[in-house]
Amino acid sequence: MPSLAILSLALTTQASASCTRALLKSATSAYITAQTSGQPNLLPHISNLSYIENDVHVPITQGLLSQPLTIDLHHSLHDTTTCTTFTELSCATNPHPYVIHTRLFVADDRVTSIQSVISDAGDWLFNATGHLYWSSTETWTPIPEPLRDTRAIIQAAGDLYLDSWGNGSLKAPYGTPCHRIEGGAYTDTRRTGNNTCFMPEFPQPFKITKRDYVIDEVVGGLGIFNDFPFIDMMRPDGTTSTNLFRIEEGRIRYIHEVTICQTRNCGR
Ligand SMILES: *[C@@H]1O[C@H](CO)[C@@H](O)[C@H](O)[C@H]1NC(C)=O
Ligand SMILES: *[C@@H]1O[C@H](CO)[C@@H](O)[C@H](O)[C@H]1NC(C)=O
Ligand SMILES: *[C@@H]1O[C@H](CO)[C@@H](O)[C@H](O)[C@H]1NC(C)=O
Ligand SMILES: *[C@@H]1O[C@H](CO)[C@@H](O)[C@H](O)[C@H]1NC(C)=O
């Protein structure tokens, strides 16, 4: 199996295998190819790769990465500080529709771990057609360098949003416009261009303690793998969830939430 560095032309001029954006881009591009064809070996990885779906370890040969999927839309974040990536796959026209958020861990030119949150029918407000339709309207182009936020500011914006769910006196830094795609439901269907992201305090206080971040300063991207307490009647202490953000000048522009439910629509 070739290493990512060999797949990444931009790296051939570099002496050592540091974690560059080019290396991470070759990883997300190989991931898309592997998932499209259902062949995990097209993604250069260590032999004892850790493969996790919805917080459960699965043999990769039995995982979704071993099944070909029609991918209608994807975009990726590349975090050169932690050497991880975040990819969103919108698979609305696949015979079995999915929306997937995946984190890759890269070390020494190979993927060492794959963590996917895989949503389908019955998960929170799931609608892959809606997800595809509304995410197609978004712009994820690089933010001009002088306007880029630091990692700390990008992470703080997402953290404050999650914190505000359990404590309404905390004000999340919503921008205008701001929209959220929650499962496949969209907050600005009337296309007002206003801030439609506001999340009121939940009927019961809770704190989201488990959070893992992928941060891409170039596109103002933040992916959080978080536990979501309260929402799932069957798992009140927390179910698997992810939130993908675009942050512009410290303010939230887009939110995509994926939440896995044990029973249909989390029993709500
Ligand atoms: C894979 O094996 C190597 C060498 O034995 C070990 O250092 C590493 O921790 C293992 N990685 C995983 C993800 O299990
Ligand atoms: C899913 O989203 C599409 C596009 O917004 C919409 O036309 C359709 O009615 C939605 N389906 C359901 C079941 O809500
Ligand atoms: C909610 O946030 C406010 C403002 O930071 C803080 O003073 C208060 O202690 C928080 N409440 C709880 C229950 O954590
Ligand atoms: C946008 O928000 C402003 C301020 O709240 C409000 O006056 C206006 O009516 C909203 N626009 C639309 C199209 O809803």
Side-chain angles (χ1 to χ4, degrees):
M1 198 191 307
S3 75
L4 290 167
I6 289 166
L7 293 180
S8 164
L9 288 176
L11 269 186
T12 53
T13 54
Q14 292 180 15
S16 73
S18 59
C19 194
T20 60
R21 195 166 180 83
L23 177 77
L24 294 178
K25 280 190 164 179
S26 71
T28 51
S29 148
Y31 169 66
I32 303 296
T33 306
Q35 183 62 84
T36 301
S37 58
Q39 297 180 59
N41 283 344
L42 296 178
L43 177 61
H45 61 79
I46 59 169
S47 56
N48 57 346
L49 173 86
S50 155
Y51 182 78
I52 296 171
E53 293 186 345
N54 296 345
D55 287 329
V56 177
H57 280 273
V58 177
I60 198 163
T61 51
Q62 288 163 34
L64 196 61
L65 192 55
S66 297
Q67 291 175 36
L69 291 187
T70 303
I71 299 170
D72 301 299
L73 187 70
H74 61 83
H75 57 247
S76 293
L77 309 181
H78 303 95
D79 185 335
T80 53
T81 301
T82 59
C83 211
T84 59
T85 66
F86 183 105
T87 297
E88 177 173 81
L89 305 179
S90 200
C91 306
T93 66
N94 193 65
H96 181 135
Y98 292 104
V99 174
I100 300 166
H101 283 167
T102 292
R103 182 160 65 136
L104 304 178
F105 297 72
V106 180
D108 298 332
D109 286 358
R110 292 190 191 272
V111 171
T112 59
S113 179
I114 301 175
Q115 177 188 9
S116 286
V117 173
I118 299 172
S119 64
D120 65 358
D123 289 320
W124 183 249
L125 302 179
F126 183 82
N127 178 352
T129 309
H131 185 277
L132 174 62
Y133 181 81
W134 295 111
S135 48
S136 302
T137 67
E138 298 178 346
T139 304
W140 285 83
T141 47
I143 290 174
E145 257 184 280
L147 299 179
R148 278 181 204 164
D149 290 317
T150 61
R151 298 176 66 77
I153 286 176
I154 292 170
Q155 182 181 321
D159 273 338
L160 206 42
Y161 171 70
L162 295 189
D163 290 341
S164 73
W165 299 0
N167 183 345
S169 67
L170 296 171
K171 301 295 169 219
Y174 299 115
T176 303
C178 182
H179 74 223
R180 178 172 56 248
I181 306 173
E182 193 173 325
Y186 187 64
T187 54
D188 193 21
T189 48
R190 290 188 298 129
R191 299 174 195 261
T192 64
N194 272 345
N195 163 25
T196 57
C197 290
F198 178 71
M199 186 75 96
E201 186 181 70
F202 278 66
Q204 188 181 308
F206 61 82
K207 180 106 182 118
I208 295 172
T209 48
K210 183 182 161 288
R211 306 179 192 200
D212 293 312
Y213 308 92
V214 176
I215 300 172
D216 184 338
E217 300 94 318
V218 175
V219 294
L222 169 66
I224 308 183
F225 286 73
N226 58 277
D227 267 1
F228 189 167
F230 174 78
I231 188 78
D232 191 329
M233 306 290 267
M234 306 294 288
R235 298 167 174 154
D237 294 336
T239 190
T240 304
S241 185
T242 42
N243 283 273
L244 167 66
F245 302 83
R246 174 154 160 123
I247 310 292
E248 294 175 354
E249 295 183 68
R251 306 216 153 256
I252 301 173
R253 177 72 181 82
Y254 309 135
I255 306 169
H256 297 189
E257 179 191 325
V258 168
T259 297
I260 306 303
C261 298
Q262 187 161 325
T263 54
R264 185 163 188 80
N265 213 39
C266 291
R268 291 179 187 278

